[in-house]
Amino acid sequence: MARLSHWLDRVSITLGNVGCWLLLALVGLINVEIVLRYLFDKSTLVSDEYSGYLFVWLTLLGFGQALHSDLFLTVDVLVHRLGTRGKELCKLISSMTGLIVAVVTTDACLQLVQSSIRFGTVSIHISTTPLWLIQIVLPFGMVWLCLLYLDILIRSGVSLFGGKL
């Protein structure tokens, strides 16, 4: 189990690093657009569209690292006042809730991608990018979150119940 958690951590860090590179690409794209408009009165015509796509991708790829670093949607006011068992119980309940939400969201994201493929949906912008290429990160990111929540759920359950699950 420890090896799996370590592997999940490593992949989450790697995906977070990819998100960092996407952030740099987003900043670069926006700056190119600003320079082109200000100096040459021209436009890339795709910077707004692709900046939005990059933002969604870097956000979803960073979810795993944020979750495993305990920086993902936490409410510390109550949890810090609890003892060790209370903290583990909160972690167990929150990871169960997160897993349920992530599973439902994964299904919705898969349906969205399938619909875009089936109908050949493209962006309304000048690039006419096939939307499934952009949307594919949604189910990937949500499946990754499901795996991470499952890992936390198992580790919390083992910690709370002493391996008697």
Side-chain angles (χ1 to χ4, degrees), residues 131-153:
L131 288 182
W132 72 269
L133 289 172
I134 306 306
Q135 296 165 344
I136 199 70
V137 74
L138 298 171
F140 172 78
M142 296 314 297
V143 165
W144 188 249
L145 265 182
C146 288
L147 290 173
L148 295 174
Y149 274 124
L150 190 60
D151 177 53
I152 294 169
L153 183 67

Short mmCIF file of all heavy atoms in Angstrom, two decimals, residues 131-153:
data_model
loop_
_atom_site.label_atom_id
_atom_site.label_comp_id
_atom_site.label_asym_id
_atom_site.label_seq_id
_atom_site.Cartn_x
_atom_site.Cartn_y
_atom_site.Cartn_z
N LEU A 131 -13.68 19.94 -29.79
CA LEU A 131 -13.76 20.13 -28.35
C LEU A 131 -13.38 18.91 -27.54
O LEU A 131 -12.91 19.02 -26.41
CB LEU A 131 -15.15 20.62 -27.96
CG LEU A 131 -15.46 22.05 -28.36
CD1 LEU A 131 -16.83 22.47 -27.89
CD2 LEU A 131 -14.41 23.01 -27.79
N TRP A 132 -13.51 17.72 -28.12
CA TRP A 132 -13.13 16.54 -27.34
C TRP A 132 -11.64 16.54 -27.03
O TRP A 132 -11.22 16.03 -25.99
CB TRP A 132 -13.54 15.25 -28.05
CG TRP A 132 -12.72 14.91 -29.26
CD1 TRP A 132 -12.97 15.26 -30.55
CD2 TRP A 132 -11.51 14.16 -29.27
NE1 TRP A 132 -11.97 14.79 -31.37
CE2 TRP A 132 -11.06 14.09 -30.61
CE3 TRP A 132 -10.74 13.54 -28.29
CZ2 TRP A 132 -9.90 13.44 -30.99
CZ3 TRP A 132 -9.58 12.87 -28.66
CH2 TRP A 132 -9.18 12.83 -30.01
N LEU A 133 -10.83 17.17 -27.90
CA LEU A 133 -9.39 17.26 -27.63
C LEU A 133 -9.11 18.09 -26.39
O LEU A 133 -8.18 17.82 -25.63
CB LEU A 133 -8.66 17.88 -28.83
CG LEU A 133 -8.56 17.02 -30.08
CD1 LEU A 133 -8.00 17.84 -31.23
CD2 LEU A 133 -7.72 15.79 -29.82
N ILE A 134 -9.93 19.09 -26.17
CA ILE A 134 -9.78 19.96 -25.01
C ILE A 134 -10.42 19.31 -23.79
O ILE A 134 -9.89 19.36 -22.69
CB ILE A 134 -10.41 21.34 -25.28
CG1 ILE A 134 -9.85 21.96 -26.57
CG2 ILE A 134 -10.26 22.25 -24.10
CD1 ILE A 134 -8.36 22.06 -26.63
N GLN A 135 -11.57 18.69 -23.99
CA GLN A 135 -12.35 18.14 -22.88
C GLN A 135 -11.78 16.84 -22.32
O GLN A 135 -12.15 16.45 -21.21
CB GLN A 135 -13.79 17.88 -23.34
CG GLN A 135 -14.53 19.14 -23.71
CD GLN A 135 -15.81 18.84 -24.49
OE1 GLN A 135 -16.00 17.75 -25.00
NE2 GLN A 135 -16.67 19.84 -24.58
N ILE A 136 -10.90 16.18 -23.02
CA ILE A 136 -10.40 14.87 -22.59
C ILE A 136 -9.70 14.96 -21.23
O ILE A 136 -9.65 13.97 -20.48
CB ILE A 136 -9.48 14.24 -23.67
CG1 ILE A 136 -9.33 12.74 -23.45
CG2 ILE A 136 -8.12 14.91 -23.70
CD1 ILE A 136 -10.56 11.96 -23.74
N VAL A 137 -9.18 16.13 -20.88
CA VAL A 137 -8.52 16.28 -19.58
C VAL A 137 -9.53 16.19 -18.44
O VAL A 137 -9.17 15.81 -17.32
CB VAL A 137 -7.72 17.60 -19.50
CG1 VAL A 137 -8.64 18.78 -19.35
CG2 VAL A 137 -6.71 17.55 -18.37
N LEU A 138 -10.79 16.50 -18.70
CA LEU A 138 -11.80 16.48 -17.64
C LEU A 138 -11.97 15.09 -17.03
O LEU A 138 -11.79 14.93 -15.82
CB LEU A 138 -13.13 17.03 -18.16
CG LEU A 138 -13.12 18.48 -18.64
CD1 LEU A 138 -14.43 18.82 -19.32
CD2 LEU A 138 -12.83 19.42 -17.51
N PRO A 139 -12.31 14.06 -17.82
CA PRO A 139 -12.43 12.74 -17.19
C PRO A 139 -11.10 12.21 -16.68
O PRO A 139 -11.05 11.54 -15.64
CB PRO A 139 -13.00 11.84 -18.29
CG PRO A 139 -12.80 12.56 -19.56
CD PRO A 139 -12.71 14.02 -19.23
N PHE A 140 -10.00 12.53 -17.37
CA PHE A 140 -8.68 12.09 -16.89
C PHE A 140 -8.41 12.67 -15.50
O PHE A 140 -8.01 11.95 -14.58
CB PHE A 140 -7.59 12.52 -17.87
CG PHE A 140 -6.20 12.28 -17.35
CD1 PHE A 140 -5.66 11.01 -17.38
CD2 PHE A 140 -5.46 13.32 -16.81
CE1 PHE A 140 -4.38 10.77 -16.87
CE2 PHE A 140 -4.18 13.10 -16.30
CZ PHE A 140 -3.65 11.82 -16.33
N GLY A 141 -8.61 13.97 -15.34
CA GLY A 141 -8.37 14.62 -14.06
C GLY A 141 -9.29 14.10 -12.97
O GLY A 141 -8.87 13.92 -11.82
N MET A 142 -10.54 13.81 -13.32
CA MET A 142 -11.48 13.32 -12.33
C MET A 142 -11.18 11.87 -11.94
O MET A 142 -11.32 11.50 -10.77
CB MET A 142 -12.91 13.48 -12.82
CG MET A 142 -13.32 14.93 -13.03
SD MET A 142 -12.89 16.08 -11.69
CE MET A 142 -13.81 15.43 -10.35
N VAL A 143 -10.77 11.04 -12.90
CA VAL A 143 -10.37 9.67 -12.57
C VAL A 143 -9.15 9.70 -11.65
O VAL A 143 -9.06 8.93 -10.68
CB VAL A 143 -10.10 8.84 -13.84
CG1 VAL A 143 -9.35 7.56 -13.53
CG2 VAL A 143 -11.40 8.53 -14.56
N TRP A 144 -8.23 10.60 -11.93
CA TRP A 144 -7.05 10.73 -11.09
C TRP A 144 -7.45 11.11 -9.66
O TRP A 144 -6.94 10.57 -8.69
CB TRP A 144 -6.06 11.74 -11.68
CG TRP A 144 -4.78 11.76 -10.94
CD1 TRP A 144 -4.30 12.75 -10.15
CD2 TRP A 144 -3.84 10.69 -10.86
NE1 TRP A 144 -3.10 12.37 -9.60
CE2 TRP A 144 -2.80 11.11 -10.02
CE3 TRP A 144 -3.77 9.43 -11.43
CZ2 TRP A 144 -1.70 10.32 -9.72
CZ3 TRP A 144 -2.67 8.63 -11.15
CH2 TRP A 144 -1.66 9.08 -10.30
N LEU A 145 -8.41 12.05 -9.55
CA LEU A 145 -8.90 12.42 -8.23
C LEU A 145 -9.56 11.24 -7.53
O LEU A 145 -9.41 11.06 -6.32
CB LEU A 145 -9.91 13.57 -8.34
CG LEU A 145 -9.39 14.97 -8.16
CD1 LEU A 145 -10.53 15.99 -8.24
CD2 LEU A 145 -8.65 15.14 -6.87
N CYS A 146 -10.30 10.43 -8.28
CA CYS A 146 -10.93 9.23 -7.71
C CYS A 146 -9.87 8.31 -7.11
O CYS A 146 -10.03 7.81 -5.98
CB CYS A 146 -11.73 8.46 -8.76
SG CYS A 146 -13.26 9.25 -9.27
N LEU A 147 -8.79 8.08 -7.83
CA LEU A 147 -7.71 7.23 -7.33
C LEU A 147 -7.08 7.81 -6.07
O LEU A 147 -6.81 7.09 -5.11
CB LEU A 147 -6.64 7.04 -8.41
CG LEU A 147 -7.01 6.18 -9.61
CD1 LEU A 147 -5.90 6.24 -10.65
CD2 LEU A 147 -7.28 4.76 -9.18
N LEU A 148 -6.88 9.11 -6.07
CA LEU A 148 -6.27 9.75 -4.91
C LEU A 148 -7.20 9.72 -3.69
O LEU A 148 -6.75 9.45 -2.57
CB LEU A 148 -5.87 11.18 -5.24
CG LEU A 148 -4.77 11.32 -6.29
CD1 LEU A 148 -4.56 12.78 -6.65
CD2 LEU A 148 -3.48 10.69 -5.81
N TYR A 149 -8.48 9.97 -3.91
CA TYR A 149 -9.43 9.89 -2.81
C TYR A 149 -9.52 8.47 -2.27
O TYR A 149 -9.62 8.25 -1.07
CB TYR A 149 -10.82 10.37 -3.23
CG TYR A 149 -11.02 11.86 -3.12
CD1 TYR A 149 -11.41 12.62 -4.22
CD2 TYR A 149 -10.83 12.52 -1.90
CE1 TYR A 149 -11.60 13.98 -4.11
CE2 TYR A 149 -11.01 13.89 -1.79
CZ TYR A 149 -11.40 14.61 -2.90
OH TYR A 149 -11.59 15.95 -2.78
N LEU A 150 -9.49 7.50 -3.17
CA LEU A 150 -9.52 6.10 -2.75
C LEU A 150 -8.29 5.76 -1.91
O LEU A 150 -8.40 5.08 -0.87
CB LEU A 150 -9.62 5.19 -3.97
CG LEU A 150 -9.90 3.73 -3.73
CD1 LEU A 150 -11.23 3.55 -3.00
CD2 LEU A 150 -9.94 2.98 -5.06
N ASP A 151 -7.14 6.24 -2.31
CA ASP A 151 -5.91 6.02 -1.55
C ASP A 151 -6.02 6.63 -0.15
O ASP A 151 -5.69 5.99 0.85
CB ASP A 151 -4.72 6.62 -2.31
CG ASP A 151 -3.42 6.49 -1.55
OD1 ASP A 151 -3.07 5.37 -1.14
OD2 ASP A 151 -2.74 7.52 -1.36
N ILE A 152 -6.50 7.86 -0.08
CA ILE A 152 -6.66 8.52 1.23
C ILE A 152 -7.69 7.78 2.07
O ILE A 152 -7.50 7.59 3.28
CB ILE A 152 -7.07 10.00 1.03
CG1 ILE A 152 -5.93 10.78 0.38
CG2 ILE A 152 -7.46 10.64 2.36
CD1 ILE A 152 -6.32 12.16 -0.10
N LEU A 153 -8.77 7.35 1.44
CA LEU A 153 -9.82 6.61 2.14
C LEU A 153 -9.25 5.33 2.76
O LEU A 153 -9.49 5.03 3.94
CB LEU A 153 -10.95 6.28 1.17
CG LEU A 153 -12.18 5.58 1.71
CD1 LEU A 153 -12.94 6.49 2.65
CD2 LEU A 153 -13.07 5.15 0.57
#
